[in-house]
Amino acid sequence: MIDIEGIPADLEKGLLPSHVFNDPQIHRLELERLFTRAWCFLGHESEIPANGDYVVRTIGEDPFILVRDEKGVVRVLLDACRHRGTRVCRVEKGNASNFRCPYHGWTYSNSGDLVGAPAINTAYRGLDRSKWGLIPAARVESVHGLVFASLDEAAPPLEDYLGGMKWYLDLIFGLSSGGLEVVGEPNRFVLDANWKIGADNFSGDDYHTVFLHKSMWDVGTITIPPVANMQGYHVHAGPGHSVTFSVAGDPDEPGPTFWGYDPAVVETFDPANVTPEQFELARRSRITVGTVFPNLSFIVAPLTEDSTKPPTGLISLRQWQPRGAGRMEIWNWVLVWKGVSQEIKERAYASSIGTFGPAGLFEQDDTEPWQSITQMSGTQYGRAIGMKLNYQMGHEPSGIGFVKEIKDFPGPGKVYAPRYEEGVQLNFYRRWAAYLNGEA
Ligand code: FES
Ligand code: FE
């Protein structure tokens, strides 16, 4: 029996029931009430640059075709034939003017219209083709080339949904007028862990970095000293959206600036694209990690693919796709700034794959405890006694930690420093509980 209504009260005490990471009923509610209503990330516009280009993605566990149609309009279409429901798209990416169902041959244009069917005039006299096209997602919008869709016609505009998070996305994804592009293919792998654990971690679990990832410092993958790396801010940026910045304590403290990007990349950043406050925060940033509710995360960091080389700045997008109560598919995109040299792009790609790819050094560290959490979450005894997990770091009523609210921070949201703080995760779970309770 699940007690969704009781969860908001637990969250106010910094507690989370342990069973939420492996519960078939919660998983069902997430598909029914969350993924059908939130704005979910599908892909980056640079993955489908030409008319007819498409990739297959999912919202929750439902397959969708993300396609640029003949007129250049980006569309998100449910990959299900209107005749019997067969999937009409059989490869994960390509270029096509039409999608033809393999079962009986109904054929749809890349804008989703039903354009023909075998023996249509004999078999379907009077069929109104305009009523039998592929079903589009109710809403599609993009920000900085990131395409999102919502299956809820009544969802707020994407910008309203993002709230204060938009300010932070602007300073991360909007610095260069040329914009970003995906390099290589997004890589993905299936893990026996619940999707929320990844979203939770990227909401701002900096606490694990100095312990679990200690070897990253030992081998020189990351050079910011561990204690200094806890300096910075936790931002409850908008409803459910959190972001964490590692920044120098003193604005002029030496160390990576602009996330360690190569000077040739930094030259492409135009202060006119953002406010002076955003530009200054970007300048001071060493590592930035965040989660756009529900399941898109990002990391901007100075990492290296080879400890004999200096760190290079990179952006990775991570997505945590549910695949059952205790399983997820992790997606990883590498973004590079357009117009920089091939060498810089290749270094960013290699650094990202070597750290957050399926065999990446960070990923190998994280995935083991994430599977362990999921296994524990399904245990009978924990459920029977109502075991709760501790998310109290830095906040009352626990009194643990010494976190301070920063009132004069230039960006929106509630902001805390230093980064020994778990309100960023509570911010995620409050929104999650609101969706599951049908309130969001
Ligand atoms: Fe697609 Fe019949 S199921 S044409
Ligand atoms: Fe980690």
Side-chain angles (χ1 to χ4, degrees):
M1 143 115 183
I2 32 176
D3 178 16
I4 297 297
E5 292 77 11
I7 291 179
D10 281 341
L11 294 174
E12 293 320 304
K13 293 180 231 157
L15 303 173
L16 183 71
S18 67
H19 66 85
V20 303
F21 298 120
N22 198 347
D23 185 312
Q25 285 177 281
I26 286 186
H27 171 245
R28 197 67 235 162
L29 280 181
E30 287 170 347
L31 296 183
E32 286 174 11
R33 298 185 181 178
L34 195 169
F35 287 100
T36 51
R37 298 180 56 217
W39 282 95
C40 297
F41 176 69
L42 272 296
H44 192 267
E45 286 173 1
S46 65
E47 294 181 85
I48 48 169
N51 293 356
D53 284 351
Y54 67 87
V55 291
V56 176
R57 298 286 150 83
T58 52
I59 296 177
E61 295 181 359
D62 296 350
F64 283 86
I65 307 168
L66 171 63
V67 56
R68 192 179 292 275
D69 74 10
E70 281 323 300
K71 295 192 173 132
V73 178
V74 172
R75 296 180 183 270
V76 176
L77 306 168
L78 184 64
D79 186 8
C81 177
R82 298 297 305 282
H83 183 222
R84 290 288 186 279
T86 311
R87 288 184 69 168
V88 299
C89 194
R90 293 311 174 106
V91 290
E92 293 198 21
K93 94 179 252 186
N95 183 284
S97 56
N98 293 286
F99 300 105
R100 176 170 294 147
C101 177
Y103 199 177
H104 311 90
W106 282 29
T107 301
Y108 305 87
S109 72
N110 58 18
S111 53
D113 301 323
L114 178 64
V115 291
I120 191 165
N121 294 326
T122 312
Y124 291 108
R125 220 165 289 161
L127 180 77
D128 183 351
R129 284 184 297 180
S130 70
K131 292 200 171 117
W132 294 99
L134 295 176
I135 296 172
R139 307 275 297 282
V140 179
E141 289 188 40
S142 63
V143 56
H144 299 300
L146 308 170
V147 182
F148 292 80
S150 174
L151 306 184
D152 183 1
E153 194 62 63
L158 178 61
E159 191 154 342
D160 293 356
Y161 173 87
L162 292 171
M165 192 63 164
K166 173 72 170 40
W167 193 92
Y168 300 96
L169 296 183
D170 290 345
L171 87 81
I172 292 163
F173 295 94
L175 282 170
S176 176
S177 302
L180 288 152
E181 62 185 344
V182 172
V183 59
E185 299 297 325
N187 46 82
R188 63 269 197 196
F189 57 103
V190 172
L191 188 72
D192 285 329
N194 183 267
W195 69 273
K196 294 188 291 298
I197 302 171
D200 169 324
N201 180 286
F202 274 68
S203 292
D205 191 328
D206 313 300
Y207 186 50
H208 82 292
T209 58
V210 288
F211 187 74
L212 181 70
H213 297 311
K214 181 178 176 297
S215 59
M216 298 301 104
W217 273 271
D218 294 344
V219 299
T221 299
I222 186 163
T223 52
I224 305 160
V227 174
N229 189 46
M230 292 306 289
Q231 283 175 182
Y233 305 103
H234 268 192
V235 183
H236 309 185
H241 317 299
S242 296
V243 58
T244 168
F245 286 88
S246 167
V247 301
D250 178 327
D252 298 318
E253 192 175 304
T257 56
F258 287 112
W259 303 281
Y261 278 120
D262 189 282
V265 176
V266 175
E267 266 175 31
T268 70
F269 295 164
D270 184 350
N273 286 346
V274 290
T275 66
E277 293 80 11
Q278 284 169 310
F279 200 75
E280 174 60 9
L281 182 55
R283 187 190 72 76
R284 290 178 62 200
S285 293
R286 304 191 286 209
I287 299 175
T288 303
V289 177
T291 292
V292 179
F293 186 88
N295 64 337
L296 173 67
S297 298
F298 55 83
I299 175 165
V300 198
L303 300 172
T304 183
E305 78 283 23
D306 175 343
S307 56
T308 64
K309 292 184 181 165
T312 183
L314 58 88
I315 301 185
S316 286
L317 297 178
R318 324 298 316 281
Q319 195 171 30
W320 325 101
Q321 292 285 22
R323 295 290 181 265
R327 180 170 288 191
M328 70 171 142
E329 195 168 298
I330 298 180
W331 284 66
N332 181 39
W333 290 256
V334 185
L335 292 175
V336 293
W337 296 97
K338 285 184 189 164
V340 301
S341 72
Q342 193 60 22
E343 187 197 347
I344 290 176
K345 290 180 182 177
E346 284 173 11
R347 280 208 65 206
Y349 184 77
S351 301
S352 181
I353 297 300
T355 49
F356 289 100
L361 292 172
F362 278 97
E363 214 67 358
Q364 291 180 50
D365 286 347
D366 285 301
T367 48
E368 200 289 328
W370 294 2
Q371 292 179 95
S372 173
I373 291 167
T374 305
Q375 199 179 13
M376 172 287 303
S377 180
T379 57
Q380 184 52 38
Y381 188 46
R383 174 178 292 246
I385 62 170
M387 177 177 166
K388 305 278 201 284
L389 306 174
N390 185 306
Y391 282 78
Q392 297 178 332
M393 187 194 297
H395 284 283
E396 297 294 347
S398 65
I400 301 167
F402 51 91
V403 78
K404 284 198 199 79
E405 185 170 356
I406 306 297
K407 298 281 193 188
D408 59 353
F409 196 73
K414 273 191 178 291
V415 182
Y416 298 93
R419 304 199 295 161
Y420 291 100
E421 195 265 352
E422 290 178 337
V424 279
Q425 286 106 328
L426 295 173
N427 180 37
F428 170 85
Y429 290 112
R430 282 193 196 100
R431 190 93 196 265
W432 167 81
Y435 270 99
L436 265 55
N437 280 326
E439 295 157 11

